[in-house]
Amino acid sequence: LRVSSFLFASIRSAIMTFNLFFTDFVGQTIYLGDPGAEETSEERLRYDQGVRAGSYGLLFHCIVGALYAPLLKPLINKFGIHLTFSFGMFVFALSMMIMYVSRNIYIVNFMASLSGLGMASLTSIPYTLVMTYHANREVQENFFIFSVV
């Protein structure tokens, strides 16, 4: 339980860090801009353009996550909860790695959109596990009560 709690917190931290710093990453690394440069300088204009381009990546990240979330229940029923969760986390980790090495805005934004699979998995599956645990616990408790009486 401690390992899974640590893993959940680590993954949640990774996704929140991505959400907070993605546009800054695009502005500085992909567009080679400088947020501290003069307002009208070329570096600042490139940074602002990169932040706008990165905002589209975050938009697609949210859209993919919203479209994938309703598919989680059928996927869990077909492949199991561990495999479905692992797939989402694998796609998230792979997309982060590709974003790190790529300097193409189209690839980076596509990978940002794929990272929405990890976000949907992380925000839905743990609650499904808790709900399943409590549903099974209630069934076991009710069974125990009726078997004693």
Side-chain angles (χ1 to χ4, degrees):
L1 186 61
R2 288 182 192 160
V3 172
S4 62
S5 297
F6 176 74
L7 182 63
F8 177 74
S10 298
I11 295 169
R12 186 124 183 119
S13 296
I15 289 179
M16 290 307 297
T17 302
F18 165 74
N19 288 336
L20 288 172
F21 296 110
F22 178 71
T23 56
D24 187 58
F25 166 77
V26 173
Q28 289 188 35
T29 306
I30 307 299
Y31 279 78
L32 303 174
D34 182 10
E38 288 291 322
E39 195 74 29
T40 57
S41 69
E42 182 67 29
E43 292 85 16
R44 179 60 183 259
L45 294 174
R46 281 198 312 257
Y47 177 77
D48 291 342
Q49 187 179 9
V51 168
R52 282 192 294 277
S55 296
Y56 285 112
L58 288 178
L59 171 69
F60 297 138
H61 166 84
C62 293
I63 290 171
V64 168
L67 294 175
Y68 182 65
L71 301 175
L72 283 173
K73 187 168 183 170
L75 288 172
I76 289 170
N77 291 337
K78 184 169 183 160
F79 298 108
I81 200 160
H82 294 1
L83 187 60
T84 304
F85 184 74
S86 297
F87 172 74
M89 294 302 101
F90 174 75
V91 170
F92 178 77
L94 183 66
S95 66
M96 292 296 117
M97 188 170 51
I98 292 172
M99 273 190 269
Y100 178 72
V101 298
S102 177
R103 295 299 176 252
N104 183 317
I105 187 61
Y106 298 110
I107 293 172
V108 168
N109 275 345
F110 180 71
M111 290 298 118
S113 65
L114 283 183
S115 70
L117 300 177
M119 183 205 45
S121 296
L122 183 69
T123 56
S124 300
I125 290 179
Y127 302 109
T128 303
L129 279 172
V130 170
M131 189 173 60
T132 303
Y133 169 76
H134 285 292
N136 288 340
R137 190 170 148 198
E138 288 175 9
V139 168
Q140 290 173 353
E141 287 176 1
N142 289 338
F143 177 75
F144 180 73
I145 290 170
F146 289 122
S147 63
V148 172
V149 174

